[in-house]
Amino acid sequence: MFTYTIRRLLIAIPTLLFISLIIFMVVTLAPSDPTANLPLSIPSEVRAQIRASLGLDEPIWVRYLLWLRQFFWYEPLHMLDSAFGWSLATPDMQRILSWQTRSPVADLIVQRMPQTLWVVGTSYVVGVLIALPIGIISAYRQYSWFDQVGTFVSMVGFSVPTFFTGVLLIVVFSVQLGWFPSIYDTTHQVRDFGSFLFQVKQMIMPVAVLALYNAAQISRFMRASMLDNLNQDYVRTARAKGMSERVVVLVHVLRNSMIPVVTVIALGVPTVFGGAIITEQVFKVNGLGQLLIIAIQGGDVPTVQTLTFIFAVLIVLFNLIADILYGLLDPRIRYD
Amino acid sequence: MKLRHALMGAACTLALAPAAFAERGSDGQVNIIYWQAPSTMNPYLSGGTKELEAASLVLEPLARYNQDGSMVPWLVESIPTVENGGVSADLTSITWKLKPGLKWADGSPVTSKDVKFSWEYCTAEGGGCAQSEKYNDVANVETPDELTVIVRFSVPKPFPYGPFVGAQAPILQAAQFAECMGPKAPECTDANFYPQGTGPFTVSDFRPNDVIQLIANPNYRDPAKPAFATVTFKGGGDATAAGRSVLETGEFDYAWNLQLAPDVLAGMQAAGKGEIISGFGTLVERIMVNFTDPSPDLGDRRATVDHPHPFLTDIAVRKALSMAIDRELLTEIGYGDAGRPTCNVLPAPEIYKSSANDACLVQDIEGAKKVLDDAGWVPGADGVRVKDGVRLSLLFQSSTNAVRQDFQALIKQWWSEIGVETELRNIDASVFFGGDPGSPDTFQKFFADVEMYANNFDGTDPEAYMANWECSQIPSPETQWQGNNMPRYCSDEYDALVAEMATTGDINERARLAKSMNDMLMQDYAIIPLVDRGRVSAHSNTLGGVVLNTWDSELWNAADWYRIK
Amino acid sequence: MFDAPPKKLVEVSGLKMHFPIHAGLLQRRVGEVRAVDDVSFDIFEGETLGLVGESGCGKSTCGRAILRLYDITAGSIRIDGEEIGQTSQHALRPRRPKMQMVFQDPQASLNPRMSVARIIGEPLDEHTDLSRPQKLERIYELMDAVGLNRNFANRYPHEFSGGQRQRIGIARALALNPKFIVCDEPIAALDVSIQAQVVNLLEDLQDRFGLTYLFISHDLSMVRHIADRVAVMYLGKVAELAPRDALYATPLHPYTQALLSAVPEPDPSIENRRTHIILTGDVPSPANPPQGCNFCTRCPKVMEMCHHLDPVMREVQPGHFVACHLHDPEHAKTAGQTAAPEATKSIQQGD
Ligand SMILES: Nc1ncnc2c1ncn2[C@@H]1O[C@H](COP(=O)(O)OP(=O)(O)OP(=O)(O)O)[C@@H](O)[C@H]1O
Ligand SMILES: [Mg+2]
């Protein structure tokens, strides 16, 4: 398993380099201009100067190599410096700067991480926690009213877009009832019970919207996987052995059904870091998703490039984690 | 009328009364929402409206415009003019006198050095200063003493109020930005996010593209102001959500630029939590007419003056296109109270506004047909007019935007009624307005027959704006397609007016020149103005002191805001 | 065997197992599959009852229903004198050790995530209070009994061959000292070379532990080898039940005759001279069985009455039961006399 992991990690390096090149090409060659959103009252000579100050008049391959050097060499040094108080990075080691904010992209990402993890991460956890029992019960009581309601709800959760459910919740719970804030306060800090309560209040709606969506997907998956296993002979064997129903379902069926579900859950984790672009916009959570979309709109190539590349790394990483988990969970799979 | 004014006056005095006795920070917190989030607090590095406005809470210019478009002294004693001797008779220098005792938020004094530094900062090589145009023709800035600033121009400047005036050109603290000149500007993240200012507030936490927290500036020049101790300036989302948070849920006190359908806004206001305010500036939605031939057959020389347009060079066609448009209806559909039909490309300030072209306010399909008939354009078999084998068939481009596409569809319909065929096209705004010389779809390249967008100018002086339509401003391959003269309009007479304005100091004379330039463009139908677009914002019922200003930052008088109890 | 009448270990009567069919948008119940439809038979202690029939006729369902792996639709099941037909699953659990099952597919019937030791040992946790070493000892004992190397105890099922897996399944079934084992085609998924090994193992174990088997198979020659009595199922019902030799010598039901005629003879000289009764038509769906006798759609000797009257099971000769109108007493006088010799004739032809 260890050599397998190492081998996979080594293969990942050229893969990721290739991905970074593709991302760079797509982001750079797409017709966009960081000065496009400026007021028209700013004359074109000034725009040209701005573009030049952003390094846009360098050839493409120079920009790509510069970015590579910044991402893989300068940024880690800066990170080590700030973590351990060293000074490995010299002042000429320019960090990757966002064109919009002119501040290091890494700082932006660090700044956005908490709210994204709080909201999107919680919603993922909540979604999974809801989805598993629903999927299990739905499968165990296939065609019961519980299953029918579960099917309906997950169909709704799956097909109704989050911008609709989000705005609906805002209109009902913020505008009509006034229970929850419609705009997420990213500066809020949890210090005591009261502020924790506020944090919960402002998280409820975005988390609910996203959790519904996640739960819909995962519960379907859980249900299907349970159904696959429930009709297997080994389940009958377990019953024939006279095992209690609880042991049959929770030990035999569930553990086997969890194998594919766990991998699906693991593969979904990178999307947490990717943020939920639409939901973040609707509730003004301003996490990584919003950072990405604003950067795209603003033609902010370094930010888009860095973010998408980090997402790519996460996806590759979690694919590996999913594979390893599969191997750990399923004795039939051995990677050596 | 009189009674109403009197009542309003009374209400204002009542409302203002508590503010007068307020002490700094006594009104707690105020929440502002901008649905576009500011990415920096340094307006010299961004140029975006959202950044300008956010920064205006902290950074201030020497003078700025009030809600009427009049210039008011801000960090200076008075506005220098030729009359008071502040502007030299030859119009090549202007002398500003700082108010004594001004302090930066950190307590250090504001001096003429800081003013001079701001000019150096923005004009430094490699800095990409977005406002460098404000400092055009500045030869030198002299600081004979701590409080005196003399700006010397290389040419006579009849309107010498570019540098250090308005939210676009505020004063930076020299001490803070000294190490951030030129290419080093973006590296000064701390300075760019936490600038020292003279304004009523100072940044305590800046999260780019998300939220800004500010606290009252302890060294603000008026000890009783600002009334608010803290400001939360939230960014992001969309205009609907921003409007909702002020008008319906009351979570925020002020929402900026609510470009929403008129009925949506009315519905929100019905919740009774806040008030919608609107004002008009110089933003005009217009159609530009291409005087050159955009045909792809012309290769490199398409849309250049080498090839005049096959039929848009005929004034009858341009006139008919304008006459066929119902500006009233467009306004109602697209902007409601936030727009008004206009027949001028220069709709304000009042002294520059021409009334010579107002006939266009009424749609005249029949008249348009007659104009075309008289010019010899006769309808062909398919209803499209033809003359000498040339069909009146247009490509009409604009940026992607729901209102613009509605307008395009309506206009296409009207033009078809007069026998002009129209093909519509819309281009993503970031491409259309992006100056990428490699893209064929920019508004400067104008590879279409007509195009629609909106434009305005900063401040109140139209000189530079009207100069956009000089012959020398025509974009072409030689200028890398830079330049503002989209119609490729070229008239010696017009250029003469531009030149004359550049040397005329008298305000009434300047007004006459600007008006005649406007009228020339209008009567030549080089530009077909459609809607004078206002600014719509909203504030909660408990926020007092708001005065909407379309000539400067909307937050220009945040120092005077207070809580209505 | 002693002369005392053998004790009935399993008594099944009127057993029905109908599966609901769900369809439509709301997955409503629209009908049922009559997988087992009114089946009755007994199994004597220590004997092997073979249960044969075409694929899909309900053999497995019948076996599982007897062990109450399903909640049966109707009928009574007595095992060792105890009625379990309607007992709740919960109350059944303590009785499970007595009756076990060996499954058709050895791969599918073993939990892929459990080691052999756990698979065999799990029922011991549930039903005994042996200490850990005792349990391990028992597991090894069982592995020895079925001829599995003790060293394999910690391996997972996928690491074994098919035959070994079936041995695990058998060891597992034996763990709790059952009296009655349903062997559901225990060899169908195995290589022919291994089939004999497993069958011999089963016979051997029967002798050693005094087991009673319900041996389900569609392999008539294998059943002939192992079973004492044989029941033939068709479309959810038992068509004929007889001692092995009687059944193979004089099959009474036209379906049995057809089945037997299809069994290849090892001796080619005999094989060449045999006539095969080829059944035409498809097996009707158990969701929609035909009116009357359920074999009437394919029966070569179908009569008018077969289409509306369902034949009852009769003891035609001692211990030889058949459900066919040809053997009705009132019919036997006329048709029966012609039919019976005819039946023998076809067999004789086959000789
Ligand atoms: N759980 C179930 N739900 C619905 N129908 C079922 C179910 N189990 C079995 N059936 C149906 O009952 C009938 C009998 O199936 P069963 O598995 O008992 O056949 P079998 O005789 O064992 O066949 P084989 O020799 O192929 O194993 C088949 O038509 C099958 O489709
Ligand atoms: Mg079967």
Side-chain angles (χ1 to χ4, degrees), chain B residues 100-432:
Chain B
L102 284 177
K103 284 196 177 118
W104 293 103
D106 62 7
S108 60
V110 178
T111 69
S112 51
K113 298 273 186 311
D114 294 309
V115 180
K116 176 173 179 171
F117 173 80
S118 305
W119 162 67
E120 287 166 345
Y121 178 84
C122 186
T123 50
E125 195 64 31
C129 174
Q131 308 298 350
S132 54
E133 144 120 308
K134 296 276 168 223
Y135 298 98
N136 270 358
D137 303 325
V138 175
N140 196 11
V141 175
E142 291 166 16
T143 53
D145 63 58
E146 294 274 277
L147 298 182
T148 309
V149 180
I150 304 171
V151 182
R152 299 213 182 275
F153 296 99
S154 54
V155 292
K157 276 272 169 183
F159 187 83
Y161 307 109
F164 315 123
V165 178
Q168 288 84 0
I171 310 304
L172 298 179
Q173 189 190 41
Q176 192 182 22
F177 284 90
E179 298 300 314
C180 310
M181 302 290 279
K184 286 194 144 4
E187 290 170 39
C188 294
T189 307
D190 266 351
N192 294 333
F193 287 178
Y194 299 90
Q196 287 295 333
T198 54
F201 297 98
T202 179
V203 185
S204 61
D205 184 15
F206 184 84
R207 301 184 183 208
N209 288 337
D210 178 17
V211 63
I212 312 166
Q213 293 194 294
L214 305 102
I215 52 172
N217 174 357
N219 289 308
Y220 188 61
R221 52 190 173 276
D222 182 339
K225 289 175 181 176
F228 289 106
T230 53
V231 181
T232 295
F233 187 113
K234 174 86 180 181
D238 51 275
T240 319
R244 189 187 294 127
S245 68
V246 169
L247 296 170
E248 290 190 302
T249 69
E251 289 162 82
F252 281 77
D253 294 301
Y254 190 86
W256 159 86
N257 196 13
L258 302 179
Q259 282 175 8
L260 294 171
D263 52 325
V264 172
L265 269 180
M268 285 184 179
Q269 188 160 25
K273 291 227 158 86
E275 194 183 328
I276 292 170
I277 46 177
S278 60
F280 288 88
T282 55
L283 186 65
V284 172
E285 187 80 27
R286 80 284 298 279
I287 294 175
M288 295 294 192
V289 178
N290 197 345
F291 279 67
T292 61
D293 190 348
S295 163
D297 308 338
L298 301 173
D300 280 354
R301 305 309 299 170
R302 69 190 291 205
T304 62
V305 286
D306 299 0
H307 300 280
H309 198 277
F311 56 85
L312 285 175
T313 40
D314 180 350
I315 187 165
V317 177
R318 303 196 299 266
K319 182 174 183 185
L321 292 180
S322 175
M323 287 169 78
I325 294 170
D326 184 347
R327 291 167 171 81
E328 200 77 56
L329 186 63
L330 290 180
T331 307
E332 194 182 313
I333 286 172
Y335 299 100
D337 288 341
R340 50 191 184 198
T342 185
C343 293
N344 296 306
V345 73
L346 177 60
E350 205 55 39
I351 56 162
Y352 299 111
K353 186 176 162 189
S354 165
S355 55
N357 316 300
D358 289 351
C360 91
L361 289 176
V362 185
Q363 184 190 28
D364 185 4
I365 299 271
E366 290 314 312
K369 284 184 185 165
K370 184 161 184 309
V371 169
L372 290 173
D373 285 339
D374 294 348
W377 294 95
V378 289
D382 54 356
V384 178
R385 290 177 190 264
V386 195
K387 179 174 156 184
D388 306 331
V390 179
R391 288 175 85 238
L392 289 186
S393 178
L394 291 170
L395 176 62
F396 181 8
Q397 71 180 16
S398 188
S399 69
T400 309
N401 165 319
V403 173
R404 294 215 166 107
Q405 267 75 77
D406 283 352
F407 277 25
Q408 281 187 306
L410 281 167
I411 292 169
K412 175 183 171 141
Q413 171 61 29
W414 291 322
W415 285 350
S416 81
E417 285 176 36
I418 62 168
V420 176
E421 181 183 67
T422 314
E423 184 192 334
L424 301 181
R425 189 155 178 258
N426 63 76
I427 301 157
D428 187 80
S430 63
V431 176
F432 189 61

Side-chain angles (χ1 to χ4, degrees), chain C residues 59-60 104 184-185:
Chain C
K59 305 180 297 288
S60 299
Q104 190 164 353
D184 184 358
E185 311 204 35

Side-chain angles (χ1 to χ4, degrees), chain C residues 120 142-143 146 148 166-176:
Chain C
I120 302 177
L142 288 161
M143 291 182 69
V146 298
L148 278 174
Q166 197 55 292
R167 285 166 197 269
I168 301 170
I170 294 167
R172 193 224 92 237
L174 291 173
L176 293 163

Side-chain angles (χ1 to χ4, degrees), chain B residues 43-44 52 56 59-66 69-76 78-80 87 94-96 115 118-119 131 133-135 138 149 151 153 159-172 457-461 551-553:
Chain B
Y44 288 121
L52 285 184
S56 73
L59 299 173
E60 295 177 313
L62 297 183
R64 69 187 336 153
Y65 300 96
N66 68 9
S70 318
M71 207 180 299
V72 287
W74 210 249
L75 296 180
V76 290
S78 62
I79 303 290
V87 176
I94 179 168
T95 306
W96 298 92
V115 180
S118 305
W119 162 67
Q131 308 298 350
E133 144 120 308
K134 296 276 168 223
Y135 298 98
V138 175
V149 180
V151 182
F153 296 99
F159 187 83
Y161 307 109
F164 315 123
V165 178
Q168 288 84 0
I171 310 304
L172 298 179
F457 57 94
D458 292 334
T460 55
D461 182 65
W551 305 105
D552 204 303
S553 163

